Amino acid sequence: MADFGSGELDAFRIEVREWLEANYPAELRDPKAETDPEAVWGGRAFAGSSDPQRVWMTRMAQKGWTAPGWPAAYGGGGLTPAQARVLDQEMSAGRYRAPLASFGVWMLGPVLLEYATEEQKKEHLPKIINGDIRWCQGYSEPGAGSDLASLATRCEDKGDHWLINGQKIWTSYANKADWCFCLVRTDTTKKHEGISFVLIDMATPGVETRPIQLISGESPFCETFFTDVKIPKNHLVGKVNGGWEIAKRLLQYERQNISGGFGSGGGAGGSAGDLGQIAKTYLGQDARGAVADRDLRMRITKNKMDFDCLYKTIARTAAEARASNGPSAATSIIKYAAATFAQERSELMVEALGHQGLGWEGEGFSPAELIATHGWLRSKGNSIEGGTSEVNINVVSKRVLGLPDPK
């Protein structure tokens, strides 16, 4: 579908603005309104929930606007890139909450559109769009992290089904997910060419999850165990032993999504507040109203400038991805930069808070101070998740710069 002309886009903008205003739940208009954060992720556990966030997700899903650029044939919005930008702009201008947080939307859906059979698309894409199913990602293993292609989880052909045995680690929200998209080994004689991409219902007998507590006190990651897990033959996506190509493609989408999360403050202490204002509050101001500590002021300013450049780069690459065939290896550049800037911001936040940045719990610390401290600890994982910084630098050197392998 070709993009609309400017007049038609203006009319579409008005339509979007009016619809958002009319359908946004009143309970969510208060920025401090409390709803169940898990409802944002949807899934089986929230079927029929009256939580305002779930209501908002359902209304947006009925428009296809939880995945506005996906084909309408699968329940998506069917919007052109220009229309999708208009929706993004109006959502941002009106400060509307995101309707759905979903690994299905961010990572799995795009590769299903590219690699899945028509039957698989019709089965899974509408459920992703509607938030009916919450997905997790089964990639890393205890002996296959940065060298992901060394994974050992076996998937054996048993004639009328696949039989899976093995272990995954750092599986985000596996204990709360309904399904898992997973890399498994279907050929032990080859490395990259022996990997397949499968979909697993987490309610299947033999699937077990164990949360891992982080130094931040949170447990968003899990160990996931598969013991004689049987899945139907049609739960394999793409070709047998052709999963590595899908895996690489999905990682591009993952890195693009993680970078956007860092940019908005996710996992980087950004939700504690504006860094400059916090530094003024705790360290005081000079005669001009600037942060009194000149050295810290310079480093805060540089970090803000870095993030501003990052925002613009993410927006540009997102537009390029919508206009082409999805993200490129350039997502590794963004992921590396985003992780670096996010960790810097968390360090600066704790430094600006001084002694109040050392709090873990208790009445002596405000909620914002505790968020900053926990966010600083959580940020240590920024340079690991979605591919370590070292791996992303290697991707950039090979795929973007075209440098040869070291001899």
Side-chain angles (χ1 to χ4, degrees):
M1 181 189 299
D3 279 342
F4 287 0
S6 58
E8 292 169 306
L9 274 180
D10 289 341
F12 178 71
R13 184 181 297 278
I14 293 173
E15 176 189 338
V16 169
R17 188 176 300 163
E18 291 178 347
W19 188 92
L20 293 174
E21 176 66 27
N23 286 276
Y24 195 59
E27 299 92 333
L28 299 182
R29 294 187 185 281
D30 180 356
K32 297 182 180 180
E34 292 188 6
T35 63
D36 190 336
E38 291 302 318
V40 180
W41 289 85
R44 291 169 177 161
F46 288 89
S49 170
S50 61
D51 185 289
Q53 179 68 47
R54 174 78 187 191
V55 171
W56 174 230
M57 181 200 75
T58 300
R59 291 175 181 174
M60 286 287 279
Q62 289 171 346
K63 294 282 288 185
W65 286 357
T66 53
W70 292 10
Y74 306 117
L79 302 187
T80 67
Q83 289 174 310
R85 285 194 295 274
V86 167
L87 177 59
D88 287 344
Q89 291 164 357
E90 291 303 313
M91 288 281 291
S92 177
R95 296 184 178 276
Y96 296 106
R97 299 190 187 192
L100 176 63
S102 171
F103 294 150
V105 170
W106 301 329
M107 295 184 279
L108 176 61
V111 297
L112 289 182
L113 284 167
E114 189 170 349
Y115 294 97
T117 64
E118 189 64 20
E119 178 186 9
Q120 290 170 333
K121 293 175 184 178
K122 290 180 178 179
E123 170 66 21
H124 296 290
L125 292 176
K127 294 177 182 177
I128 291 173
I129 293 167
N130 293 331
D132 295 335
I133 297 296
R134 181 171 180 173
W135 288 85
C136 64
Q137 177 186 16
Y139 269 35
S140 295
E141 297 183 5
S146 296
D147 185 14
L148 180 59
S150 293
L151 65 92
T153 295
R154 287 293 309 276
C155 180
E156 300 175 84
D157 188 344
K158 294 299 182 179
D160 62 344
H161 67 272
W162 298 105
L163 187 67
I164 300 175
N165 283 279
Q167 177 188 356
K168 297 293 178 178
I169 199 167
W170 309 121
T171 318
S172 300
Y173 307 113
N175 58 328
K176 299 178 180 180
D178 304 308
W179 280 67
C180 176
F181 49 93
C182 190
L183 292 181
V184 293
R185 182 157 300 285
T186 42
D187 187 338
T188 59
T189 67
K190 300 176 182 178
K191 189 174 181 179
H192 296 80
E193 295 81 8
I195 294 171
S196 294
F197 188 97
V198 298
L199 309 178
I200 303 172
D201 187 333
M202 297 292 281
T204 306
V207 179
E208 178 190 0
T209 62
R210 300 176 191 171
I212 302 169
Q213 188 174 40
L214 307 182
I215 58 173
S216 64
E218 299 177 348
S219 300
F221 303 115
C222 294
E223 294 178 280
T224 305
F225 299 88
F226 303 104
T227 305
D228 290 336
V229 174
K230 298 178 181 179
I231 65 170
K233 297 298 287 288
N234 64 359
H235 284 190
L236 185 143
V237 178
K239 300 177 181 178
V240 175
N241 298 326
W244 187 245
E245 179 183 348
I246 300 176
K248 291 189 296 181
R249 188 63 160 163
L250 188 143
L251 283 171
Q252 290 179 339
Y253 287 105
E254 179 184 16
R255 288 162 185 164
Q256 176 177 270
N257 172 66
I258 290 175
S259 301
F262 292 161
S264 61
S271 57
D274 179 78
L275 184 51
Q277 290 300 321
I278 287 175
K280 290 180 182 179
T281 300
Y282 285 83
L283 300 176
Q285 306 177 39
D286 62 16
R288 299 172 301 154
V291 176
D293 186 321
R294 181 174 181 274
D295 177 69
L296 182 61
R297 181 175 74 234
M298 291 175 60
R299 286 183 285 133
I300 289 175
T301 301
K302 180 181 182 301
N303 185 259
K304 286 190 171 186
M305 291 173 65
D306 287 339
F307 264 112
D308 189 53
C309 293
L310 178 65
Y311 296 146
K312 290 178 171 57
T313 302
I314 290 174
R316 187 184 74 249
T317 55
E320 291 172 349
R322 285 194 293 264
S324 59
N325 294 319
S328 67
T331 55
S332 290
I333 300 176
I334 298 173
K335 173 21 176 94
Y336 173 80
T340 301
F341 300 156
Q343 289 175 333
E344 287 177 354
R345 177 167 59 189
S346 289
E347 294 280 351
L348 291 168
M349 183 74 73
V350 172
E351 182 177 345
L353 290 172
H355 291 131
Q356 293 304 113
L358 301 177
W360 183 255
E361 59 184 2
E363 297 180 356
F365 302 93
S366 70
E369 291 166 351
L370 296 178
I371 287 174
T373 305
H374 286 245
W376 167 63
L377 291 171
R378 171 64 182 85
S379 74
K380 300 306 178 183
N382 294 163
S383 52
I384 299 174
E385 57 202 344
T388 65
S389 290
E390 292 79 7
V391 167
N392 280 297
I393 289 174
N394 284 338
V395 172
V396 172
S397 68
K398 293 179 182 179
R399 307 300 180 193
V400 179
L401 300 178
L403 299 178
D405 290 327
K407 296 181 179 180

